[in-house]
Amino acid sequence: MSATAYARFRVAAHADWEAAVTHRFVRELVTDTLPDDVLRDYLVQDNQFSFDFLSLLGQALASADTMSAKTRLARHLGFIATDENAYFQERFVQFAVPQGEIDHPELAPASAGFRELYQSAVASRSYADALIVLTVAEALYLDWAERATAHGTRMPALPQNRGWIDVHRGDDFTEWVDFLLAELNRVADPDDSEQRDRFRLAVHLELGFFDDAYAGRD
């Protein structure tokens, strides 16, 4: 039996994937040793391309070829707009982030790369391309959140750290990632070099996003 698209793409991106899910940011988040200014700036950056993430979900919803897929994608749009957005707003209040910085920060290199990648996937009108980027964003976060916390048995105490983990692990988030993996394997081509490269770029940017959180601090 031949390997699935996801399995093939993961092999191609293995080094960057492992470096991301075991990153210093993850370790410090879980052990409550992450400096507030690192988390603050990380969230300001992450929030900036959340705009494009919603557009990407919308593109996937529009281009999905089954009613069950459209329904599941629509449900997740609601989650992003409520639960995850609430976490961002609470942290911005906690860290007293000015509205101008929330709306128009100077983008770090990986953030700028993500915006280009997301916008490219939206413009492609391809369900497979949208799924590739969505799958990396969600599956990589599920991987680090479950691994680093030993499946929720080793959680941080600080609400700012626990909250970011809570939205990226657990039964509901696992079900969402399982859906993305199944859809990706259904519509993607394991032998398509352009799809493989899109997956690898997304993983590389995830690693870069963690690295950028410490830029100029060491």
Side-chain angles (χ1 to χ4, degrees), residues 45-162:
Q45 293 289 317
D46 193 283
N47 182 68
Q48 186 63 198
F49 61 81
S50 291
F51 179 91
D52 298 295
F53 188 84
L54 285 171
S55 297
L56 182 61
L57 271 173
Q59 195 278 94
L61 173 59
S63 58
D65 57 347
T66 68
M67 187 61 185
S68 60
K70 287 180 181 292
T71 300
R72 184 62 189 88
L73 289 160
R75 282 169 46 206
H76 200 70
L77 272 168
F79 167 78
I80 294 295
T82 53
D83 294 48
E84 189 161 317
N85 184 62
Y87 171 83
F88 278 112
Q89 299 312 314
E90 290 169 3
R91 298 290 78 76
F92 293 153
V93 170
Q94 175 185 353
F95 297 137
V97 183
Q99 191 63 46
E101 185 179 357
I102 294 171
D103 294 337
H104 303 290
E106 180 179 353
L107 292 181
S111 299
F114 267 126
R115 295 208 74 175
E116 292 179 4
L117 178 64
Y118 285 8
Q119 290 169 3
S120 170
V122 169
S124 74
R125 298 295 188 266
S126 162
Y127 186 39
D129 285 353
L131 283 170
I132 288 166
V133 181
L134 286 171
T135 297
V136 170
E138 305 291 55
L140 187 147
Y141 268 58
L142 175 66
D143 192 10
W144 73 248
E146 294 289 11
R147 273 206 241 179
T149 67
H151 300 284
T153 63
R154 191 172 59 236
M155 294 287 285
L158 292 174
Q160 65 204 51
N161 297 334
R162 177 182 286 266

Side-chain angles (χ1 to χ4, degrees), residues 23-24 28 35 38 211 213-218:
H23 197 276
R24 171 186 176 186
E28 292 181 353
V38 172
D211 287 341
Y214 294 89
R217 289 186 166 91
D218 294 328

Side-chain angles (χ1 to χ4, degrees), residues 23-35 38 161 214:
H23 197 276
R24 171 186 176 186
F25 181 94
V26 173
R27 299 194 305 271
E28 292 181 353
L29 184 78
V30 172
T31 58
D32 278 335
T33 57
L34 184 68
V38 172
N161 297 334
Y214 294 89

